[in-house]
Amino acid sequence: MEKNLFREVYKQVCGLALKDCPPSSLSGLLHGYLSVYSMVRVYPWLEDEYGSLWDIHDRIREIARVIQELLKDKDMPVDSRAGYAVDLMDAYLLYSDMKFLDVALDTAYEILIPKGSDKIVLPCRTPNICRLLCNCYYFTGEYEGGLLAEKLVTEAMGMSRKFNCDELIDWWSAICVYECVFGEIHVLEKERERLIGEQIRLGTKVEQVKNEKIGSFLLEFGNSPLLSIVFNILGKREFDRCNQYYSNRE
């Protein structure tokens, strides 16, 4: 069922003109397309369903250029600006345009390091800031940023029962980024078991919330503000499904 839904969502997304898309939808669109690109790159025969690798690549570049323009607005709320900087870094990992990375890193340090200082100061303690710290560490080896990211993740794990639905999804994304960059959280052994249990609980809850988002989307299919969110959710699930299906056939 989800596979057919993803195909329908993908068709709808491909028909969108970016100039008509609200800025808040760009991150979901970008990461949904990154999942599609990964699927087609690993399983080339999927071009028949999702289009050529180059066309997907070009769409990602188009979204990244819109995000790059948005980052010129220094009056934008800092959390939103941090999120767009991370998105541009994620696009760079595929597209390898140094302008994307340069703009993203310049923005990151404008956000994290006050003028006249050489130390990182967190403007807020949000998932986007956590993702930004992780990506800065990945690209520059910024050790202090890595320590701060770990603190934010540990704090989030302890507070996760108080998060609303959107906060759960956003923090789960940040935690996943942290794990990709750093691996497991460094805590005392007596704390490890508790954190593992909390992470399992959080992951289960996040999947429930995502299913609820998909259910809400289906009620207003065709004209839903949830389109980009659902595209991102289903894109990741479809890539995981492909990996499992084709690995079992080998």
Side-chain angles (χ1 to χ4, degrees), residues 169-196:
I169 292 177
D170 291 343
W171 270 113
W172 183 251
S173 174
I175 290 168
C176 290
V177 172
Y178 177 88
E179 287 190 329
C180 287
V181 175
F182 297 101
E184 62 182 17
I185 302 170
H186 300 99
V187 294
L188 296 175
E189 192 61 38
K190 63 181 180 180
E191 284 289 301
R192 190 174 307 281
E193 186 174 343
R194 181 188 67 80
L195 275 179
I196 290 173

Side-chain angles (χ1 to χ4, degrees), residues 8-241:
E8 290 302 314
V9 168
Y10 185 62
K11 289 178 184 177
Q12 190 172 344
V13 165
C14 288
L16 291 176
L18 291 184
K19 63 181 178 62
D20 298 329
C21 296
S24 59
S25 71
L26 295 174
S27 182
L29 292 176
L30 175 71
H31 288 92
Y33 272 109
L34 288 173
S35 293
V36 175
Y37 182 90
S38 297
M39 278 191 288
V40 175
R41 179 176 58 82
V42 176
Y43 310 110
W45 52 89
L46 292 179
E47 282 196 354
D48 292 340
E49 291 186 44
Y50 301 115
S52 73
L53 204 59
W54 173 252
D55 287 341
I56 302 165
H57 188 279
D58 198 49
R59 183 68 157 170
I60 291 169
R61 179 180 59 179
E62 183 185 7
I63 298 170
R65 284 178 172 170
V66 175
I67 292 172
Q68 183 180 8
E69 285 299 307
L70 288 173
L71 285 174
K72 293 179 180 179
D73 180 6
K74 297 187 179 183
D75 294 327
M76 181 188 300
V78 66
D79 180 60
S80 299
R81 203 157 182 250
Y84 290 134
V86 174
D87 292 337
L88 203 56
M89 292 178 190
D90 292 344
Y92 167 79
L93 289 173
L94 168 65
Y95 193 67
S96 299
D97 186 329
M98 281 302 299
K99 289 182 181 178
F100 289 166
L101 183 59
D102 289 342
V103 169
L105 287 175
D106 287 346
T107 302
Y109 288 113
E110 286 174 6
I111 291 170
L112 296 172
I113 302 178
K115 281 187 177 181
S117 175
D118 59 356
K119 291 186 177 181
I120 293 176
V121 177
L122 299 185
C124 51
R125 308 177 82 81
T126 63
N128 281 334
I129 292 295
C130 185
R131 292 167 60 222
L132 188 64
L133 291 166
C134 291
N135 276 24
C136 285
Y137 178 87
Y138 177 82
F139 286 110
T140 70
E142 176 63 63
Y143 181 70
E144 183 185 0
L147 293 178
L148 289 170
E150 184 171 70
K151 287 182 181 179
L152 290 180
V153 167
T154 305
E155 287 175 9
M157 296 283 280
M159 297 172 56
S160 62
R161 295 174 190 269
K162 299 179 181 179
F163 292 152
N164 61 38
C165 293
D166 290 334
E167 287 172 331
L168 279 172
I169 292 177
D170 291 343
W171 270 113
W172 183 251
S173 174
I175 290 168
C176 290
V177 172
Y178 177 88
E179 287 190 329
C180 287
V181 175
F182 297 101
E184 62 182 17
I185 302 170
H186 300 99
V187 294
L188 296 175
E189 192 61 38
K190 63 181 180 180
E191 284 289 301
R192 190 174 307 281
E193 186 174 343
R194 181 188 67 80
L195 275 179
I196 290 173
E198 189 64 23
Q199 190 167 3
I200 292 171
R201 184 200 67 79
L202 180 57
T204 301
K205 179 61 178 176
V206 167
E207 289 307 306
Q208 292 174 354
V209 171
K210 288 180 178 179
N211 287 337
E212 290 169 5
K213 296 275 188 187
I214 294 170
S216 297
F217 171 77
L218 289 173
L219 293 176
E220 47 184 332
F221 191 89
N223 186 29
S224 173
L226 291 173
L227 177 62
S228 66
I229 296 172
V230 170
F231 177 46
N232 187 18
I233 292 170
L234 293 178
K236 290 177 180 176
R237 288 184 177 180
E238 184 62 16
F239 186 35
D240 289 341
R241 188 196 68 80

